Structure formats: C-alpha cells, structure tokens
Amino acid sequence: MDTIFTLLMVLVMIASVLLVIIVMAQNPKGGGLSSTFGGASSAQFGVQRTNDFMEKATWTLGGTIIVLILLSVVITGKPSQAAATQQQPAKKEAPAKKSAPASSTTTTAPVSTPAAPAK
C-alpha cells in the first residue's frame, strides 16, 4: 500500500510541476478577467491554437491532480484492522476485590458489632 501511495504522490508532483510550467508559459495579454473588465478581447485578433492547447492542458492537469489526490485518500484513508484496534481505548477492568484472609478457626456464630454509646 505504501508503494501505491508513493507512486500517486510522485504523479501528483509531476503534474503540479507541469501545471506550473504551462501556467507560466501562457500569454497574459487579453485573457482571463482583464478582457472582461475593459481589456482587449482576444476575439478581435483571433484565437491562436496554442492558447487552446494551453487552456486544455491547464484544465486537464488541474483535474488530474484532484483525481490523484482523491484516489490517494480513498486508498490510504481506510485504517487497517491492527490500526483500528490500537486506536480504541483499552477497557479498564475493575480491580479485584480483596478477600478476607481465611482464619484457621471457623465460627458459625454471627459477628455482632458493639452498639454506639448513648449520650
């Protein structure tokens, strides 16, 4: 199970580095929120094929990272039987009551307690 988790984390790191590279390589002019709020629209000049590829690659890598992380949580999220028993608190047993020591002579008469003196 550790090897699968390690493999998934390596894939997440590779996808993250690729995502950073693709985002940094994108042309910031005329895209995103700047075109919505008064910037030059990219439709005026035509959309280049590289921008489409970069956008698709960004969404694909982002989705891949999310899927890999969720997959790693599903795979490693279930505790094993040994871990589940270790996490449960140990049941405390009541201490055994001490029995009176057995005397060598046994009496059959009940033992009476002296009465409290009257005031």
Side-chain angles (χ1 to χ4, degrees):
M1 182 177 299
D2 289 335
T3 58
I4 295 173
F5 181 74
T6 304
L7 176 67
L8 288 174
M9 290 300 107
V10 168
L11 291 174
V12 167
M13 287 187 269
I14 290 170
S16 299
V17 169
L18 289 174
L19 182 63
V20 168
I21 291 170
I22 288 180
V23 167
M24 295 298 286
Q26 288 180 6
N27 188 4
K29 296 180 182 176
L33 291 176
S34 63
S35 64
T36 306
F37 296 110
S41 175
S42 62
Q44 293 174 347
F45 304 108
V47 177
Q48 296 177 350
R49 295 185 135 243
T50 55
N51 287 343
D52 288 340
F53 170 76
M54 295 286 210
E55 184 177 355
K56 288 179 184 177
T58 302
W59 283 105
T60 303
L61 286 171
T64 301
I65 291 170
I66 291 171
V67 168
L68 288 173
I69 290 173
L70 291 176
L71 187 63
S72 69
V73 168
V74 168
I75 289 174
T76 60
K78 298 178 183 175
S80 65
Q81 185 67 19
T85 57
Q86 289 176 357
Q87 291 176 355
Q88 294 176 352
K91 294 181 181 177
K92 293 184 179 180
E93 296 181 12
K97 293 183 179 180
K98 294 182 181 179
S99 61
S103 63
S104 60
T105 60
T106 57
T107 60
T108 56
V111 177
S112 63
T113 56
K119 291 186 180 181

